[in-house]
Amino acid sequence: MTVQTLTVLGSTGSIGANTLDVVARHPERFRVYALTAARQVDVLARQCQVFRPLYAVIGEGLEQQLRERLRHLDVDTEVLSGPQALCDVAAAAEVDAVMAAIVGAAGLAPCVAAARAGKKLLLANKEALVVGGDWFMQTVRQGGGRLLPIDSEHSAVFQSLPDNEQTWSARVEKIILTASGGPFRMREPATLSQVTPDEACAHPNWVMGRKISVDSATMMNKALEVIEAHYLFGFEPHRIEVVIHPQSVIHSMVQYRDGSVVAQLGTPDMRVPIAYGLSWPERIASGAEPLDFLAMGALTFEPPTRERFPGLFLAWQALSDVPGATAVLNAANEVAVEAFLAGRLRFDRIHAVNDATLGRLRPPKLQGLDDLLALDVEARERARELVQRWQE
């Protein structure tokens, strides 16, 4: 059995921690090359103590603190910091696979570095595709590596599509992404202005970081997933549908031309798509509990409404706009969610900031990563102006 060498970008977040849980179950299959974190020094140090990576990358200014913590733990992992270090450990010749779990546009550059280096790229960072779009997919193809989706929905779609990628468009009618509906599925839309950050982060089915939890509450996470599915699988926006499925048992579906539907089911545990991505094309134990069909009860489905989840419908709006519009939407949403979590913006105004930023900024012709990053900066500036106008 060949041992797979792995870099985990964003190892202290929920995806990163679940990845390491799966890796720990299969020490004969995986060796950790590098772990990275933005600020969680103690968590990263404990991970280094367990997995003994060659490198640990931490946010700038925290290097000495991490070195001292590792010295105390008798761990000889080399400490690096800064954006270039993230790219270096993603593209290193010794690395076979990269788990891209850094949330936000900050994860784009190391994803690009891994793609250019031809790595097996396990993509949990939505923004690489939402911001990078066709250009990012072209970079993956030119690098000669393999892109495997880790989002539960996109992993489910990938598992439900035909093995032969060349037949996808001819054989498939549409992709159906499922959404739990988040904590406010049954809440009166008129009361959403009163939502607190703690309420928005209390997801009924999944344990996630605060930013992703807020995106689930607004269903902006599903808007980003629609955009991601378009670039990942090459289907036109009108062939990508979203349905609310509160039980989170069916993770997504593919409807074929003959009317049949293939779906991927499983417990709501991110270790399932992570284990599939790590071991593809094989399958290994994830640690997740298997489904108990006799105890499961009814599976239900509902249409998402524009009144309760207006942010979802920005996906198709951005995809019908000029190239770069999806990057603008993503940047605006990051700014708006940050402001909401800080208590500076009402929950219902997250959508207002996103919609207004998308309408105010006309992206120039994009040539590459520098143009995308510059557009991201400009979109954030416009979104911050709007937050300032509407902040509490």
Side-chain angles (χ1 to χ4, degrees), residues 93 96 98 213 275 341:
D96 301 309
V98 175
S213 296
L341 288 172

Short mmCIF file of all heavy atoms in Angstrom, two decimals, residues 93 96 98 213 275 341:
data_model
loop_
_atom_site.label_atom_id
_atom_site.label_comp_id
_atom_site.label_asym_id
_atom_site.label_seq_id
_atom_site.Cartn_x
_atom_site.Cartn_y
_atom_site.Cartn_z
N ALA A 93 7.14 19.32 -3.44
CA ALA A 93 7.29 18.11 -4.25
C ALA A 93 6.95 16.85 -3.48
O ALA A 93 6.48 15.86 -4.06
CB ALA A 93 8.73 18.03 -4.78
N ASP A 96 1.56 14.64 -1.84
CA ASP A 96 0.68 13.98 -2.80
C ASP A 96 -0.70 14.64 -2.86
O ASP A 96 -1.28 14.79 -3.93
CB ASP A 96 0.48 12.51 -2.42
CG ASP A 96 1.78 11.74 -2.38
OD1 ASP A 96 2.54 11.82 -3.37
OD2 ASP A 96 2.06 11.08 -1.36
N VAL A 98 -3.57 17.65 -0.99
CA VAL A 98 -3.76 18.86 -0.19
C VAL A 98 -5.23 18.98 0.17
O VAL A 98 -6.10 19.01 -0.71
CB VAL A 98 -3.31 20.12 -0.97
CG1 VAL A 98 -3.63 21.38 -0.16
CG2 VAL A 98 -1.83 20.05 -1.30
N SER A 213 -21.73 28.69 9.54
CA SER A 213 -23.05 28.54 10.16
C SER A 213 -23.97 29.71 9.79
O SER A 213 -25.16 29.51 9.52
CB SER A 213 -22.91 28.45 11.68
OG SER A 213 -22.21 27.28 12.05
N ALA A 275 -13.34 11.22 4.01
CA ALA A 275 -12.74 9.89 3.81
C ALA A 275 -12.82 9.48 2.35
O ALA A 275 -11.87 8.88 1.81
CB ALA A 275 -13.45 8.86 4.69
N LEU A 341 -21.47 39.15 12.78
CA LEU A 341 -20.93 38.44 13.93
C LEU A 341 -20.33 39.39 14.96
O LEU A 341 -20.29 39.09 16.16
CB LEU A 341 -19.87 37.42 13.48
CG LEU A 341 -20.42 36.18 12.76
CD1 LEU A 341 -19.28 35.35 12.18
CD2 LEU A 341 -21.27 35.33 13.70
#
